[in-house]
Amino acid sequence: MWRYSFKRFTCANITDKKGLPMKETMMINSGLAHMISRRVAFCSVFFLLSLVLAPAIQAQDSIEDISNPPDAFRTAPVLIDGQELVMLRGVSSYPANERARAVRSRIIALAKDSSFSVDQLVIKEDEDRTTIYGGNTLVISIFDVDAELESVDRKILSELIMSKIANSITQYRLERSPSVLWTNSVYALGLTAAVFLLLWGIIRLFRWLDGLAVRHVQKSLQDLASKSHQLINAGQVWTLFAGVLRTIRFVAVAIILYFYLNTLLGLYPWTRPAAAVLFNLVLNPVKSLWEGFLTSLPDLVFLAVLYLFVRYILKLTRTFFKGIESGRIRLQNFDQDWASPTYKILRILIVAFSVVVAYPYIPGSDSMAFKGVSLFLGVIFSLGSSSFIANMMAGMAMTYRGAFKEGDRVRVGDVVGVVTEVKLMITRVNTVKNESVVIPNSNILNSNVVNYSVLAKEKGLVIHTTVGIGYDTPWRQVEAMLVMAADRTPSLEKDPPPFVLQQSMGDFAVNYEINAFCKDVSRMLAVKSDLHRNIQDVFNEHGVQIMSPAYEHDPESPKIVPPDQWYAAPAVKP
């Protein structure tokens, strides 16, 4: 049992027949008022849809003008209340739509003439045509070209057309008879009431579902969000869920209103063309999609088979190169590090070739719209892909160039660091300052690349530094001190031993270069720093001054640090 809340209010300044003021207390059922407002809204929607369909109803006489292009003036159907009687041909001087309109007007005139009986329809045969008369009135002339259009004999076509004309006249009169109109009106009222109740039930159902969702789903989402430490946004999920409910409700109401309007308009002959238009609004797209699907079914099967075949080929290719990468398969003059990039390149080529093969079989690929979009995308790609293609080609060239691989310490331009990622477009390098530098492969291809790791593990990397010592210091002493400093550096190799080169004899000093081998390139900067420290200690111990790049005259005493000052504050002696 439904409960309705009532509101009591007083209407003042209401006068009776004598003009005297009076007060009247009224009871208004708010639930009933709510239902009335919904009925008004429903009627408003129906009225708006009727206005939208009004041009189709008013254009009933012009529906017969529709023909099938490209022969727009050559063929046209004769339609009575949306039913096709015959397809007529026309010529440029007397288009088919005008001929069909004239035949339709004559048939309707006979149907409206209550004194005319369908038994008065007769056929008259002439040499070049067959004519159907309704009493003394010409209804239609049928020519050989009309019979050719239907692929039947002219005489047989005439008899069929006369039978259809008789049936259409009878049906025309029957559908406009008062008894049929009253019956259809009763059906319309019953249908309207049933649809109103159905819509009211759907609205009530979804209100109940909304309340149920608020009570249970929303609370569950909040609990889930709290348990996931707000990784799940309960508000967004609830908005999505509520949107799905609203969409389902809208679709259900739209379907009911669509079938209601289509059925209601189909009850009356005057609105039946509008019902046909409304029905075709949905039927024609669905029919086109279904026919297009059936037409494209062989192509879709070919595309499916091609997809499965290409997928199988890619799996075989991937398995083969995985075997090369793991060492299970060995190819002469083919490095294991080339396996992964070669597979990627080959995969792109296989996919590109399969796309070329599949293109003619894609539904709609031969349409001008598809070709236009393809051309547009091609132009956009060609305009914006110069750097893309350059980097991609550089990446492929670097793959087989063997300049470096992931984990190598390299110098590219001013960037020194460890290669962490090598892709087709870019190379990522992490510097000693913990910076991640992304370098386009085209820049690397045009730059000198120094790889510190490629020979370090086998022969060692030569760590070197230069010092300038005055001419008054024996070169043998200097070289011995530099070798001593290298021996004190723990990360430098003893075998092969370090060696000294005299690089140049400058204006004020001789430039000596100490060279020592190091296999741990990850510490090359730290090792070089330790070497510099040891050089300073050794030269200070022996009282030899390390010259600055240039000076004006010899100092009174050597510029050295005595051992008792090596740990001056704030330095701490270990």
Side-chain angles (χ1 to χ4, degrees), residues 18-38:
K18 297 181 179 180
L20 297 176
M22 64 180 183
K23 293 184 178 180
E24 179 183 2
T25 303
M26 303 180 66
M27 302 286 292
I28 293 183
N29 186 323
S30 63
L32 184 59
H34 190 64
M35 293 175 62
I36 293 174
S37 63
R38 289 195 175 278

Side-chain angles (χ1 to χ4, degrees), residues 3 33 116 127 133 140 161 166 205 216 224 238 250 258 266-267 292 297 321-322 338 422 435 461 513 534 556 567:
R3 286 181 163 179
F116 175 77
E127 183 178 353
Y133 286 90
I140 184 174
I161 292 175
L205 174 63
H216 297 283
L224 183 61
W238 169 251
F250 173 78
Y258 170 78
L267 291 176
L297 189 58
F321 283 101
K322 279 292 183 182
W338 296 352
V422 179
E435 301 167 335
L461 177 69
E513 182 186 75
N534 293 325
E556 296 179 358
Y567 300 101

Side-chain angles (χ1 to χ4, degrees), residues 100 159 180 216 235 361 421 464 514 568:
E159 294 176 353
V180 174
H216 297 283
Y361 297 91
E421 190 176 20
H464 59 88
I514 177 65

Side-chain angles (χ1 to χ4, degrees), residues 373-390:
V373 172
S374 302
L375 180 62
F376 174 76
L377 294 178
V379 171
I380 295 298
F381 182 78
S382 62
L383 292 177
S385 63
S386 56
S387 60
F388 175 83
I389 297 298

Side-chain angles (χ1 to χ4, degrees), residues 298-308 357-359 361-363:
D299 295 339
L300 295 176
V301 172
F302 174 82
L303 292 176
V305 173
L306 179 64
Y307 168 76
L308 295 176
V357 173
Y359 181 85
Y361 297 91
I362 298 176

